[in-house]
PDB file of all heavy atoms in Angstrom:
ATOM      1  N   ILE A 218     100.238 122.142  80.838  1.00 98.00           N
ATOM      2  CA  ILE A 218     100.628 120.729  80.746  1.00 98.00           C
ATOM      3  C   ILE A 218     101.967 120.468  81.431  1.00 98.00           C
ATOM      4  O   ILE A 218     102.123 119.504  82.166  1.00 98.00           O
ATOM      5  CB  ILE A 218     100.684 120.296  79.257  1.00 98.00           C
ATOM      6  CG1 ILE A 218      99.278 120.385  78.650  1.00 98.00           C
ATOM      7  CG2 ILE A 218     101.241 118.881  79.118  1.00 98.00           C
ATOM      8  CD1 ILE A 218      99.253 120.306  77.126  1.00 98.00           C
ATOM      9  N   THR A 219     102.932 121.347  81.207  1.00 98.00           N
ATOM     10  CA  THR A 219     104.285 121.066  81.706  1.00 98.00           C
ATOM     11  C   THR A 219     104.584 121.719  83.053  1.00 98.00           C
ATOM     12  O   THR A 219     105.458 121.245  83.787  1.00 98.00           O
ATOM     13  CB  THR A 219     105.370 121.580  80.724  1.00 98.00           C
ATOM     14  OG1 THR A 219     105.355 123.018  80.717  1.00 98.00           O
ATOM     15  CG2 THR A 219     105.149 121.065  79.314  1.00 98.00           C
ATOM     16  N   GLY A 220     103.927 122.817  83.351  1.00 98.00           N
ATOM     17  CA  GLY A 220     104.207 123.533  84.599  1.00 98.00           C
ATOM     18  C   GLY A 220     105.479 124.374  84.560  1.00 98.00           C
ATOM     19  O   GLY A 220     105.806 125.040  85.538  1.00 98.00           O
ATOM     20  N   PHE A 221     106.215 124.340  83.429  1.00 98.00           N
ATOM     21  CA  PHE A 221     107.488 125.078  83.409  1.00 98.00           C
ATOM     22  C   PHE A 221     107.252 126.589  83.288  1.00 98.00           C
ATOM     23  O   PHE A 221     106.364 127.041  82.580  1.00 98.00           O
ATOM     24  CB  PHE A 221     108.389 124.593  82.270  1.00 98.00           C
ATOM     25  CG  PHE A 221     108.798 123.156  82.409  1.00 98.00           C
ATOM     26  CD1 PHE A 221     108.627 122.255  81.367  1.00 98.00           C
ATOM     27  CD2 PHE A 221     109.327 122.682  83.614  1.00 98.00           C
ATOM     28  CE1 PHE A 221     108.992 120.923  81.503  1.00 98.00           C
ATOM     29  CE2 PHE A 221     109.695 121.343  83.762  1.00 98.00           C
ATOM     30  CZ  PHE A 221     109.517 120.463  82.706  1.00 98.00           C
ATOM     31  N   ARG A 222     108.105 127.332  84.001  1.00 98.00           N
ATOM     32  CA  ARG A 222     107.973 128.779  84.077  1.00 98.00           C
ATOM     33  C   ARG A 222     108.315 129.452  82.739  1.00 98.00           C
ATOM     34  O   ARG A 222     107.625 130.338  82.291  1.00 98.00           O
ATOM     35  CB  ARG A 222     108.918 129.282  85.179  1.00 98.00           C
ATOM     36  CG  ARG A 222     108.597 130.662  85.672  1.00 98.00           C
ATOM     37  CD  ARG A 222     109.082 130.938  87.095  1.00 98.00           C
ATOM     38  NE  ARG A 222     110.463 130.577  87.344  1.00 98.00           N
ATOM     39  CZ  ARG A 222     110.858 129.731  88.297  1.00 98.00           C
ATOM     40  NH1 ARG A 222     109.968 129.161  89.082  1.00 98.00           N
ATOM     41  NH2 ARG A 222     112.130 129.467  88.483  1.00 98.00           N
ATOM     42  N   HIS A 223     109.394 129.009  82.129  1.00 98.00           N
ATOM     43  CA  HIS A 223     109.848 129.654  80.890  1.00 98.00           C
ATOM     44  C   HIS A 223     109.505 128.788  79.683  1.00 98.00           C
ATOM     45  O   HIS A 223     109.874 127.615  79.650  1.00 98.00           O
ATOM     46  CB  HIS A 223     111.361 129.882  80.934  1.00 98.00           C
ATOM     47  CG  HIS A 223     111.781 130.736  82.090  1.00 98.00           C
ATOM     48  ND1 HIS A 223     111.598 132.093  82.108  1.00 98.00           N
ATOM     49  CD2 HIS A 223     112.330 130.407  83.285  1.00 98.00           C
ATOM     50  CE1 HIS A 223     112.042 132.582  83.259  1.00 98.00           C
ATOM     51  NE2 HIS A 223     112.491 131.576  84.000  1.00 98.00           N
ATOM     52  N   VAL A 224     108.831 129.381  78.721  1.00 98.00           N
ATOM     53  CA  VAL A 224     108.437 128.651  77.513  1.00 98.00           C
ATOM     54  C   VAL A 224     108.980 129.406  76.303  1.00 98.00           C
ATOM     55  O   VAL A 224     108.640 130.566  76.083  1.00 98.00           O
ATOM     56  CB  VAL A 224     106.905 128.518  77.419  1.00 98.00           C
ATOM     57  CG1 VAL A 224     106.519 127.748  76.166  1.00 98.00           C
ATOM     58  CG2 VAL A 224     106.345 127.840  78.668  1.00 98.00           C
ATOM     59  N   ILE A 225     109.844 128.729  75.558  1.00 98.00           N
ATOM     60  CA  ILE A 225     110.555 129.376  74.451  1.00 98.00           C
ATOM     61  C   ILE A 225     110.193 128.666  73.147  1.00 98.00           C
ATOM     62  O   ILE A 225     110.574 127.511  72.942  1.00 98.00           O
ATOM     63  CB  ILE A 225     112.085 129.290  74.713  1.00 98.00           C
ATOM     64  CG1 ILE A 225     112.407 129.999  76.044  1.00 98.00           C
ATOM     65  CG2 ILE A 225     112.872 129.873  73.548  1.00 98.00           C
ATOM     66  CD1 ILE A 225     113.840 129.816  76.499  1.00 98.00           C
ATOM     67  N   PRO A 226     109.439 129.336  72.267  1.00 98.00           N
ATOM     68  CA  PRO A 226     109.050 128.663  71.017  1.00 98.00           C
ATOM     69  C   PRO A 226     110.233 128.521  70.056  1.00 98.00           C
ATOM     70  O   PRO A 226     111.116 129.382  70.019  1.00 98.00           O
ATOM     71  CB  PRO A 226     107.990 129.601  70.426  1.00 98.00           C
ATOM     72  CG  PRO A 226     108.237 130.930  71.043  1.00 98.00           C
ATOM     73  CD  PRO A 226     108.903 130.708  72.368  1.00 98.00           C
ATOM     74  N   THR A 227     110.230 127.434  69.291  1.00 98.00           N
ATOM     75  CA  THR A 227     111.270 127.211  68.269  1.00 98.00           C
ATOM     76  C   THR A 227     110.588 126.655  67.020  1.00 98.00           C
ATOM     77  O   THR A 227     109.453 126.199  67.096  1.00 98.00           O
ATOM     78  CB  THR A 227     112.332 126.184  68.731  1.00 98.00           C
ATOM     79  OG1 THR A 227     111.676 124.933  68.993  1.00 98.00           O
ATOM     80  CG2 THR A 227     113.052 126.645  69.989  1.00 98.00           C
ATOM     81  N   HIS A 228     111.307 126.654  65.897  1.00 98.00           N
ATOM     82  CA  HIS A 228     110.623 126.216  64.668  1.00 98.00           C
ATOM     83  C   HIS A 228     110.442 124.708  64.607  1.00 98.00           C
ATOM     84  O   HIS A 228     109.564 124.212  63.926  1.00 98.00           O
ATOM     85  CB  HIS A 228     111.325 126.759  63.414  1.00 98.00           C
ATOM     86  CG  HIS A 228     112.519 125.965  62.990  1.00 98.00           C
ATOM     87  ND1 HIS A 228     113.766 126.119  63.541  1.00 98.00           N
ATOM     88  CD2 HIS A 228     112.643 124.985  62.070  1.00 98.00           C
ATOM     89  CE1 HIS A 228     114.607 125.276  62.961  1.00 98.00           C
ATOM     90  NE2 HIS A 228     113.954 124.580  62.073  1.00 98.00           N
ATOM     91  N   GLN A 229     111.270 123.949  65.290  1.00 97.00           N
ATOM     92  CA  GLN A 229     111.000 122.512  65.475  1.00 97.00           C
ATOM     93  C   GLN A 229     111.874 121.978  66.589  1.00 97.00           C
ATOM     94  O   GLN A 229     112.608 122.738  67.234  1.00 97.00           O
ATOM     95  CB  GLN A 229     111.112 121.717  64.181  1.00 97.00           C
ATOM     96  CG  GLN A 229     112.458 121.687  63.492  1.00 97.00           C
ATOM     97  CD  GLN A 229     112.370 120.903  62.174  1.00 97.00           C
ATOM     98  OE1 GLN A 229     111.970 121.427  61.169  1.00 97.00           O
ATOM     99  NE2 GLN A 229     112.789 119.643  62.196  1.00 97.00           N
ATOM    100  N   GLY A 230     111.779 120.676  66.852  1.00 98.00           N
ATOM    101  CA  GLY A 230     112.444 120.100  68.015  1.00 98.00           C
ATOM    102  C   GLY A 230     113.947 120.293  68.044  1.00 98.00           C
ATOM    103  O   GLY A 230     114.537 120.645  69.070  1.00 98.00           O
ATOM    104  N   ARG A 231     114.584 120.081  66.893  1.00 96.00           N
ATOM    105  CA  ARG A 231     116.053 120.118  66.889  1.00 96.00           C
ATOM    106  C   ARG A 231     116.586 121.516  67.170  1.00 96.00           C
ATOM    107  O   ARG A 231     117.710 121.655  67.635  1.00 96.00           O
ATOM    108  CB  ARG A 231     116.584 119.537  65.576  1.00 96.00           C
ATOM    109  CG  ARG A 231     116.264 120.321  64.359  1.00 96.00           C
ATOM    110  CD  ARG A 231     116.453 119.479  63.116  1.00 96.00           C
ATOM    111  NE  ARG A 231     115.429 118.431  63.006  1.00 96.00           N
ATOM    112  CZ  ARG A 231     115.377 117.533  62.029  1.00 96.00           C
ATOM    113  NH1 ARG A 231     116.299 117.510  61.094  1.00 96.00           N
ATOM    114  NH2 ARG A 231     114.414 116.628  61.975  1.00 96.00           N
ATOM    115  N   ALA A 232     115.790 122.541  66.888  1.00 97.00           N
ATOM    116  CA  ALA A 232     116.219 123.907  67.199  1.00 97.00           C
ATOM    117  C   ALA A 232     116.250 124.080  68.725  1.00 97.00           C
ATOM    118  O   ALA A 232     117.172 124.712  69.271  1.00 97.00           O
ATOM    119  CB  ALA A 232     115.283 124.914  66.556  1.00 97.00           C
ATOM    120  N   ALA A 233     115.280 123.514  69.406  1.00 98.00           N
ATOM    121  CA  ALA A 233     115.267 123.553  70.872  1.00 98.00           C
ATOM    122  C   ALA A 233     116.479 122.803  71.422  1.00 98.00           C
ATOM    123  O   ALA A 233     117.156 123.254  72.351  1.00 98.00           O
ATOM    124  CB  ALA A 233     113.963 122.947  71.394  1.00 98.00           C
ATOM    125  N   GLU A 234     116.776 121.651  70.805  1.00 97.00           N
ATOM    126  CA  GLU A 234     117.934 120.853  71.248  1.00 97.00           C
ATOM    127  C   GLU A 234     119.234 121.641  71.049  1.00 97.00           C
ATOM    128  O   GLU A 234     120.122 121.623  71.905  1.00 97.00           O
ATOM    129  CB  GLU A 234     118.027 119.555  70.423  1.00 97.00           C
ATOM    130  CG  GLU A 234     116.869 118.608  70.661  1.00 97.00           C
ATOM    131  CD  GLU A 234     116.746 117.548  69.559  1.00 97.00           C
ATOM    132  OE1 GLU A 234     117.611 117.501  68.653  1.00 97.00           O
ATOM    133  OE2 GLU A 234     115.783 116.775  69.617  1.00 97.00           O
TER     134      GLU A 234
END
Side-chain angles (χ1 to χ4, degrees):
I218 296 166
T219 68
F221 297 128
R222 198 155 49 237
H223 301 284
V224 180
I225 300 172
T227 60
H228 82 277
Q229 62 183 83
R231 66 197 70 182
E234 294 163 4

